[in-house]
C-alpha cells in the first residue's frame, strides 16, 4: 500500500515537471548571482541575492505550471519553508557519506540531492500548495 502510494507520487507528471523546474532553478540561481555580482561586488552576498531571486522564480513556476495555484505572501513563505527539510536531509547525507564513510564530496552531494528531491517535492506539494490536484 505504501509502495503504491509512493509510486503514484513520484511517477506523476507533476514530479517530472518539478525536476525540470529544479534544473531551471539551479541555472537561474547562478545567472541571478552573476547579474548581482556587478552591483554588490561580493560573491557571497551576490549568491544569496541570486538564491532568493531564483526561489521566487521557482515559486512562480511551481504555482503556474505544476500545481495551478494563485500566489500569496503566505504561500511563498510556506514554499520557502518547504525547502528546510531538503537542507537538513542533504546536510545529513553529506555528513554521513563524506565525513563518516569517506565517500568523495561530489558523489556525496549527488546522493544527497537524489534522496532529498522526492522529500522536497512532497513538502512543496502538500505544505506549500496544499496537495494541489492538477490533471496536466
Amino acid at each position: 500500500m505504501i509502495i503504491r502510494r509512493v509510486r503514484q507520487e513520484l511517477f506523476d507528471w507533476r514530479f517530472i515537471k518539478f525536476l525540470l523546474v529544479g534544473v531551471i532553478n539551479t541555472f537561474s540561481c547562478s545567472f541571478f548571482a552573476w547579474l548581482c555580482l556587478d552591483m554588490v561586488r561580493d560573491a557571497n552576498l551576490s549568491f544569496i541575492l541570486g538564491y532568493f531571486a531564483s526561489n521566487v522564480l521557482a515559486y512562480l513556476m511551481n504555482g503556474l505550471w505544476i500545481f495551478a495555484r494563485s500566489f500569496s505572501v503566505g504561500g511563498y513563505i510556506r514554499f520557502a519553508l518547504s525547502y528546510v527539510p531538503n537542507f537538513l536531509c542533504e546536510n545529513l547525507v553529506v555528513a554521513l557519506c563524506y565525513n563518516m564513510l569517506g565517500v568523495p564530496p561530489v558523489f556525496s552531494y549527488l546522493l544527497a540531492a537524489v534522496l532529498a528531491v522526492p522529500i522536497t517535492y512532497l513538502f512543496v506539494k502538500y505544505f506549500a500548495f496544499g496537495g494541489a490536484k492538477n490533471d496536466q
Side-chain angles (χ1 to χ4, degrees):
M1 178 130 167
I2 290 176
I3 302 247
R4 183 182 316 147
R5 180 75 176 150
V6 169
R7 198 176 311 142
Q8 287 174 336
E9 291 290 343
L10 299 182
F11 291 100
D12 179 345
W13 278 110
R14 286 171 295 204
F15 181 66
I16 304 301
K17 289 178 181 181
F18 183 80
L19 293 175
L20 182 58
V21 166
V23 169
I24 293 167
N25 196 47
T26 298
F27 287 105
S28 71
C29 180
S30 298
F31 178 71
F32 289 139
W34 174 75
L35 284 178
C36 292
L37 192 55
D38 284 339
M39 292 183 292
V40 297
R41 302 270 185 221
D42 179 87
N44 293 324
L45 180 57
S46 180
F47 178 78
I48 290 168
L49 294 172
Y51 180 84
F52 282 114
S54 67
N55 195 265
V56 170
L57 180 63
Y59 174 62
L60 295 173
M61 286 189 291
N62 275 276
L64 285 171
W65 189 44
I66 301 171
F67 299 110
R69 290 289 200 203
S70 59
F71 303 110
S72 68
V73 173
Y76 177 73
I77 291 170
R78 284 190 307 277
F79 179 79
L81 289 174
S82 296
Y83 278 82
V84 171
N86 175 285
F87 177 80
L88 296 173
C89 180
E90 286 193 16
N91 279 284
L92 177 64
V93 170
V94 169
L96 290 172
C97 290
Y98 176 70
N99 295 329
M100 299 177 91
L101 300 175
V103 175
V106 172
F107 293 115
S108 297
Y109 304 153
L110 289 173
L111 179 61
V114 167
L115 294 175
V117 165
I119 293 166
T120 306
Y121 171 72
L122 294 174
F123 271 92
V124 167
K125 180 177 179 180
Y126 290 103
F127 180 68
F129 291 103
K133 293 292 180 195
N134 188 351
D135 294 328
Q136 294 181 359

